[in-house]
Amino acid sequence: MRRQAAIAAGLVIAAAAGIVATVAVSGGQPAAAPPAGPPLTLATVVRTDLTTTVLTAGTLGYAGTSPVVNQLAGTYTALPGPGQAIRPGQDLYRVDNLPVVLMRGRTPAWRTFALGMTGGPDVTELQRNLIALGYAEGLFAAPTGQFDALTEDAVLRWQQAVGYPVTGEIALGQMVFLPAGIIVGGLNAAPGQAASPGQAPFDVTATSRIVTVPLTADLPSVTTGEAVSIVLPSGTTTPGTITAVGPVPPTSNSNTSKTSSTSNSSDTSNTSGTSGASMQLTVTPNDPAATGTGQNVAVQVSLVTQSVRNVLAVPIAALLALAGGGYGVQADGPAGHEYLIGVTTGLFANTLVQVSGPGIRAGMQVVTAQ
């Protein structure tokens, strides 16, 4: 009887511990000891910010820009190579062995620059470039928008430096205004071919790196200025910022419709309810060099779905399911005496969970399974 009672007691203990045990009634080897539970350690209750995210597909590449449009008649005598970077002040290409120079500006050139012309935004852009490139040193330090004698002197310096006839006049087509430097794409012409006004001798993109993400109804709402993470094909992540939310721009001659920028968009509204791929968000990497030089690269963007700030949190492994429902944590008391605290859970984020309740405070130690 005593032996049967001992066996029954062992089964009860094993069942209570969730362990399947084999007990020998007579003979044979004694039953193996039950496996040890997971090792326990202490974790600190922290006050922190928590976020949950969702991954969505995006396309990484160079931003779109205005096309390079030739305005000269003659013969192409030199063209850049695909992938070449061209900065303001450098040659874009040559017609009849004379350079067409890239200048920084948003207003396209539409006329000859010469003394006595009426003022305008194109003159202002020309003067800004002459200042930036050093040709206006000692002549003027700020643009006036008027092509005066001092501007003519600066133009004479520029013409001598780039190899143009030193006349003080710049014919239409000898310079091209674009917002910034460019990356050369595919060529549409070759040296020796005829150059005609209106041609785009090669495709271009901007030098800035962006990620575009089509917006659909199942994605969280986003706003410009919001921080995100970009997951590169290598699996590494790099931070970025949402810089535009707006319609997908039309396809340009640079074949970069997947990576065209809308960074000058003023739309900062919440995009809840936006559906289809007619809207997109533009993400600018905080460290463009970390994204490489590839074009139309498939990446993922981590968008925030929920966030809470300045909350108490513990490792999820510290939660204990209570018999009456809900959760608790086992707090480490004086001299190693643990005691149970009931908590209310909030946001689960990665390995942490938001908790609140009487007796829970930042800095206290709780038991957690490793």
Side-chain angles (χ1 to χ4, degrees):
M1 289 295 293
R2 289 182 180 179
R3 181 175 178 83
Q4 290 177 347
I7 293 172
L11 289 173
V12 169
I13 294 171
I19 301 168
V20 177
T22 302
V23 180
V25 175
S26 60
Q29 297 296 322
L40 302 178
T41 186
L42 294 178
T44 303
V45 179
V46 295
R47 185 169 293 278
T48 187
D49 302 335
L50 298 178
T51 60
T52 58
T53 59
V54 63
L55 289 176
T56 185
T59 304
L60 167 67
Y62 291 102
T65 189
S66 302
V68 170
V69 179
N70 173 62
Q71 298 291 351
L72 299 177
T75 301
Y76 292 113
T77 52
L79 290 164
Q84 181 176 338
I86 302 176
R87 299 188 301 271
Q90 295 182 331
D91 295 358
L92 287 165
Y93 55 96
R94 285 179 171 260
V95 174
D96 295 343
N97 205 34
L98 292 175
V100 175
V101 180
L102 174 62
M103 294 291 193
R104 188 185 302 274
R106 295 187 178 276
T107 301
W110 74 89
R111 55 181 175 169
T112 295
F113 292 96
L115 192 64
M117 68 186 294
T118 58
D122 54 341
V123 179
T124 298
E125 290 181 345
L126 171 63
Q127 292 173 325
R128 284 175 178 159
N129 282 274
L130 293 172
I131 294 169
L133 296 172
Y135 298 112
E137 185 176 355
L139 299 173
F140 53 91
T144 64
Q146 301 296 322
F147 197 108
D148 53 16
L150 295 178
T151 304
E152 183 183 46
D153 288 343
V155 169
L156 292 171
R157 295 176 180 177
W158 173 76
Q159 289 176 324
Q160 186 174 20
V162 300
Y164 263 112
V166 182
T167 63
E169 296 185 3
I170 304 174
L172 176 64
Q174 292 179 344
M175 61 174 56
V176 174
F177 288 113
L178 290 177
I182 62 163
I183 302 291
V184 177
L187 299 182
N188 304 319
Q193 290 184 341
S196 301
Q199 292 176 335
F202 47 83
D203 299 333
V204 295
T205 63
T207 56
S208 54
R209 302 284 285 167
I210 62 167
V211 176
T212 55
V213 177
L215 288 180
T216 56
D218 57 340
L219 292 181
S221 61
V222 294
T223 56
T224 57
E226 184 176 328
V228 299
S229 292
I230 304 165
V231 184
L232 301 173
S234 63
T236 60
T237 62
T238 186
T241 303
I242 297 175
T243 50
V245 181
V248 176
T251 302
S252 69
N253 75 329
S254 61
N255 297 321
T256 57
S257 60
K258 291 184 179 180
T259 55
S260 296
S261 173
T262 56
S263 59
N264 60 345
S265 169
S266 61
D267 183 3
T268 60
S269 61
N270 187 296
T271 61
S272 295
T274 300
S275 61
S278 61
M279 297 284 289
Q280 70 177 21
L281 64 88
T282 302
V283 175
T284 300
N286 295 358
D287 181 12
T291 66
T293 59
Q295 182 75 331
N296 293 332
V297 178
V299 296
Q300 291 183 305
V301 175
S302 178
L303 301 177
V304 174
T305 55
Q306 288 181 288
S307 65
V308 289
R309 297 178 61 83
N310 196 33
V311 298
L312 296 177
V314 298
I316 295 174
L319 291 181
L320 298 172
L322 302 180
Y327 292 96
V329 294
Q330 193 169 358
D332 184 46
H337 295 290
E338 291 93 10
Y339 59 98
L340 193 62
I341 300 177
V343 295
T344 300
T345 59
L347 185 64
F348 285 74
N350 296 322
T351 61
L352 296 179
V353 56
Q354 175 188 356
V355 293
S356 60
I360 191 79
R361 66 183 187 279
M364 71 186 309
Q365 300 285 296
V366 295
V367 177
T368 180
Q370 290 183 340

